[in-house]
Amino acid sequence: MAWKEKFKQFGLPGFIVFVIISLFSIYLITNNSELLRDLHVKMSKFMTSDFLKYQNEKGPILQALQFTLLILIYGLFLLGLVNAVLMVKNVILKRTPSIISHNDSELYLELEDKLGDVLAAFDQHSPLRVIDEKLTIFMMSHHAEIKRIFGLPERQIEFVWYFQGKNNDVELVYLKTPIDIEGAAKLINSALDMPYVRIQEPSVNNRMELRESPIKQFITVRNYGNLKLGLAVFILKENIFTKDNLKEFIYFTSKIILLGTNNRFLRHFKRKKNSGN
């Protein structure tokens, strides 16, 4: 509505003026109301200024002004009191927040069990079908946890695992084909040019070659040294990265750095690629 848009233009100062005028008008109109008069008398008892003391002989306009000022004074006092209490509470209860909660730590133990299932299948010489199934469950569990960390649904986040193939080519493994596989490959390749195990790009579309890509943000983690195994995360929504969720992502993916050093694990990952993901 037009009047709402005009009202928004005045912001907080306009709202305060509106409240003052409203209080003044209400008191002036209902000056004979016993409820407001009693409230006025009780509020003025604590005031030392004669101007703020309630007096019957004062005219209705002056009394309405006095009542409005008392409301504002008490309101400011209450606001200051609440802020002071909150400040004291924050100082007393201040704690260094842990990276993960108790429930999250239990979830991480469950994810470690998924990896344990894969390694146990190697030791037991399980059929390739069984190993592949356990490896898929391991991947899906990691995907689900990263979705939780960034607070994203399936449609707004994609995952690609990658490793060093023949002739130094980078091979990709994914359970679901990314919406922009070419853009995903470009981001992975550019990340491999950097010496760091973790790379993040908070604004993918700033790149000329990816300006029209549906990928908005990108983060990846891989092993130290020559590429063995890495995980790339492609986010299809802007402004998702925060200090807290990036910190948790680093904590959660710390073990991925070492996965590529397990030759049996890496060998089956490569086989997963050859079998069509």
Side-chain angles (χ1 to χ4, degrees):
M1 297 176 66
W3 68 270
K4 288 185 177 180
E5 295 300 323
K6 291 182 179 179
F7 183 76
K8 291 180 180 178
Q9 294 176 1
F10 295 100
L12 182 59
F15 176 75
I16 294 174
V17 172
F18 172 77
V19 171
I20 293 174
I21 294 175
S22 298
L23 289 172
F24 181 86
S25 301
I26 291 172
Y27 191 88
L28 189 62
I29 294 172
T30 61
N31 189 42
N32 293 325
S33 170
E34 292 185 4
L35 179 63
L36 290 180
R37 187 168 59 252
D38 290 343
L39 179 62
H40 188 172
V41 171
K42 290 179 180 179
M43 287 193 301
S44 67
K45 283 182 178 179
F46 300 96
M47 298 297 161
T48 57
S49 172
D50 291 336
F51 177 76
L52 295 175
K53 288 285 186 180
Y54 179 82
Q55 298 176 14
N56 287 321
E57 62 270 24
K58 289 183 178 179
I61 294 179
L62 190 57
Q63 286 187 345
L65 179 60
Q66 186 186 67
F67 178 78
T68 304
L69 289 175
L70 287 171
I71 290 290
L72 290 176
I73 291 171
Y74 278 97
L76 291 172
F77 175 79
L78 181 61
L79 181 62
L81 181 63
V82 170
N83 286 333
V85 171
L86 290 176
M87 290 175 63
V88 172
K89 179 181 176 182
N90 289 336
V91 171
I92 295 175
L93 300 180
K94 187 175 182 180
R95 297 287 186 272
T96 301
S98 61
I99 295 176
I100 59 173
S101 66
H102 178 67
N103 291 337
D104 290 339
S105 63
E106 291 180 352
L107 179 58
Y108 287 2
L109 290 175
E110 292 179 9
L111 292 170
E112 288 182 359
D113 289 341
K114 300 294 191 301
L115 175 59
D117 291 342
V118 177
L119 300 180
F122 293 151
D123 292 336
Q124 297 166 6
H125 304 288
S126 300
L128 291 177
R129 175 186 57 80
V130 174
I131 296 176
D132 182 74
E133 178 182 332
K134 293 185 180 298
L135 181 57
T136 300
I137 292 173
F138 167 82
M139 294 169 67
M140 292 176 65
S141 299
H142 275 63
H143 296 176
E145 180 58 15
I146 293 172
K147 290 175 194 173
R148 183 200 65 79
I149 289 173
F150 290 118
L152 292 171
E154 179 78 24
R155 68 181 182 278
Q156 292 179 340
I157 190 168
E158 298 177 335
F159 303 90
V160 172
W161 299 74
Y162 55 96
F163 59 87
Q164 191 82 53
K166 295 180 180 179
N167 302 320
N168 291 325
D169 290 335
V170 178
E171 302 285 350
L172 309 181
V173 176
Y174 38 84
L175 302 179
K176 176 185 174 184
T177 305
I179 191 172
D180 182 10
I181 187 63
E182 292 185 2
K186 289 178 181 178
L187 287 166
I188 291 173
N189 284 327
S190 64
L192 291 174
D193 292 334
M194 306 293 287
Y196 314 108
V197 296
R198 286 189 176 84
I199 300 293
Q200 58 173 287
E201 194 157 346
S203 187
V204 170
N205 299 141
N206 281 349
R207 289 195 187 191
M208 182 66 68
E209 72 274 22
L210 295 172
R211 183 158 294 177
E212 302 300 325
S213 175
I215 302 171
K216 305 302 179 185
Q217 294 188 290
F218 163 71
I219 190 168
T220 182
V221 57
R222 64 179 178 87
N223 61 281
Y224 287 96
N226 296 329
L227 173 63
K228 291 183 173 63
L229 182 66
L231 171 62
V233 181
F234 306 93
I235 295 175
L236 310 182
K237 186 178 180 180
E238 296 178 345
N239 302 320
I240 293 301
F241 293 158
T242 66
K243 182 179 179 180
D244 289 338
N245 62 33
L246 288 175
K247 184 187 295 185
E248 188 171 0
F249 177 83
I250 291 172
Y251 178 87
F252 173 68
T253 57
S254 59
K255 296 181 177 63
I256 292 178
I257 293 174
L258 303 176
L259 281 179
T261 61
N262 187 303
N263 290 330
R264 291 185 302 177
F265 187 92
L266 184 58
R267 188 164 56 248
H268 196 80
F269 230 99
K270 294 180 177 181
R271 178 192 170 277
K272 193 171 184 65
K273 163 66 180 179
N274 295 333
S275 63
N277 296 335

